Amino acid sequence: RIFEFEVLGSRQINVMYWGRYITALFGVGVTLMTYLLSKKVFSRSVGLIAAFLVAVNFRQVLNSHIGLPDIYNAFFLLLTLYYSYSIVTEPTTKNYFLAGLFNALYFSIKFQTFGFSPIVVAHLLSFKTKFDHLKLLLALCSSAFFITLLNPYLIVNFEKFMAIQTYQLAKYGIGSNSINV
């Protein structure tokens, strides 16, 4: 009874506020990660300008208020890009693992595969010995492991998952290489 009224609130209204607070926090994280990535790749002033532009972007602010999954998707994509660039500058096992982990979190939000490319490109730019290919394998395997761990229904209900994804692809016209006027 205490949990129902004090924590969840009357008609579970507090849950809506928690969702908004968490989404807003991730929105701040997107701005911060934009700054850190831009600073790492370019310079401090470019990072500040990029963070400012993200902070005042209408869609970014809207997504931070409503609670859409796009804000989480952007946050984990930026983390994937950050650690992918870290692979280029410092190809340690830790950076490969973290790039794979954050790519799995990014993929698990909206099933988008864009995070795999930066990891592979960063690896191609940084590897020096054949042993380094094992690090790429670590990143891809850790990503696959965490995707499976976070989404066990992909294995259990694979046919249903593929039917839903096929419908989504047809609905949004992904892959049609044309502009839907």
Side-chain angles (χ1 to χ4, degrees), residues 1 7 11 24 30 32 47 61 89 91 113 123 135 150 166-167:
R1 189 166 174 94
V7 177
R11 295 182 302 165
V30 168
L32 178 65
V61 173
T89 58
T113 59
H123 172 72
K135 292 179 183 176
L150 293 170
T166 303
Y167 170 73

Side-chain angles (χ1 to χ4, degrees), residues 26-35 38 47-62 64 71 74 78:
F26 272 89
V28 171
V30 168
T31 304
L32 178 65
M33 284 309 303
T34 301
Y35 168 73
S38 300
L48 288 172
I49 292 168
F52 172 76
L53 291 174
V54 168
V56 298
N57 183 307
F58 169 75
R59 189 66 192 185
Q60 171 72 14
V61 173
L62 180 69
S64 295
I71 202 75
L78 285 167

Side-chain angles (χ1 to χ4, degrees), residues 27-128:
V28 171
V30 168
T31 304
L32 178 65
M33 284 309 303
T34 301
Y35 168 73
L36 293 174
L37 180 62
S38 300
K39 179 183 169 190
K40 188 173 192 142
V41 175
F42 300 107
S43 68
R44 183 176 181 268
S45 58
V46 171
L48 288 172
I49 292 168
F52 172 76
L53 291 174
V54 168
V56 298
N57 183 307
F58 169 75
R59 189 66 192 185
Q60 171 72 14
V61 173
L62 180 69
N63 287 347
S64 295
H65 286 304
I66 300 177
L68 296 174
D70 299 333
I71 202 75
Y72 309 110
N73 207 27
F75 179 76
F76 288 115
L77 178 61
L78 285 167
L79 277 170
T80 302
L81 293 173
Y82 182 84
Y83 283 103
S84 294
Y85 189 75
S86 295
I87 290 171
V88 173
T89 58
E90 187 181 345
T92 63
T93 305
K94 174 186 156 194
N95 287 337
Y96 276 93
F97 177 76
L98 289 173
L101 170 67
F102 291 125
N103 181 48
L105 293 171
Y106 164 73
F107 177 83
S108 295
I109 293 170
K110 290 182 78 174
F111 303 118
Q112 294 176 338
T113 59
F114 305 121
F116 289 102
S117 300
I119 296 172
V120 172
V121 170
H123 172 72
L124 292 175
L125 292 173
S126 69
F127 84 94
K128 295 176 180 43

Side-chain angles (χ1 to χ4, degrees), residues 129-144:
T129 65
K130 289 182 181 180
F131 177 71
D132 288 340
H133 292 309
L134 292 176
K135 292 179 183 176
L136 176 63
L137 188 62
L138 169 72
L140 297 177
C141 286
S142 66
S143 189

